[in-house]
Amino acid sequence: MGKGEDTKSLILEKAVQVASVQGLQGLTIGTLADELGMSKSGLFGKFASKENLQIEVLRVGSELFRRNVVYPALKTKPGLQRLKTAFQMWLTWANTSELPGGCLFLSSSSEFDDRPGIVRDHLKKTQLSWQKTLKQFVQDAKDTLELDENTNVDKMVQEIWGLILGFHFYNRLLEDKNCEKRTKQSFNELIKRFQNEY
């Protein structure tokens, strides 16, 4: 990796941290230049536009998510063990030191759900990719007969996503110290329900 690539990686590392606190819309070449003590023209030369910067931040954030959530889950046995690991790592991800403001994708989804354009398109693509992976984890649990064979995969994944959204709200905004414990209990109850729903 050359010096220019090293510099860009350091810039994007800081940009991800800023975006997790201020949101993607709050992340501009100007604000990032101030944070890094760099010139706006120097940063502009690396990204050319605010949208390109935002997309690069989402790209780096996606790799962080894979490293912190997806890869650890894939190292476990397919089935409920893998699904449970993914859920636990997803909870942990919300409090990682690399994201001082919490999950970059949850906050960005609120910002861009009604804002068409290339940034929204890229964000949607990353979330659909994770949704596809999570569906596969649930399907694996069906295939190993740890979940009922008639389990509605889409329904279960949506409910799991709802637990994460609720956890993020209680954890970040309300600063409820007991919400992680309750969220894990709710997840375990959800698993049991889908084991016995049919």
Side-chain angles (χ1 to χ4, degrees), residues 144-179:
T144 57
L145 305 180
E146 294 172 279
L147 291 176
D148 190 279
E149 63 180 7
N150 295 309
T151 293
N152 185 317
V153 174
D154 289 329
K155 184 173 186 288
M156 187 172 191
V157 167
Q158 184 173 337
E159 291 194 37
I160 291 171
W161 214 292
L163 290 176
I164 292 293
L165 290 171
F167 168 72
H168 189 79
F169 174 76
Y170 272 80
N171 182 50
R172 304 301 306 191
L173 181 64
L174 302 186
E175 299 177 319
D176 186 328
K177 302 303 181 186
N178 296 312
C179 66

Side-chain angles (χ1 to χ4, degrees), residues 10-23 27 32 35-36 57 60-61 64 96-102 104:
L10 291 172
I11 291 170
L12 286 170
E13 182 180 324
K14 183 63 175 179
V16 167
Q17 294 174 355
V18 172
S20 80
V21 175
Q22 299 183 15
L27 177 67
L32 188 57
E35 287 280 344
L36 292 165
V57 165
V60 172
L64 282 174
T96 178
S97 60
E98 294 171 291
L99 298 169
L104 173 66

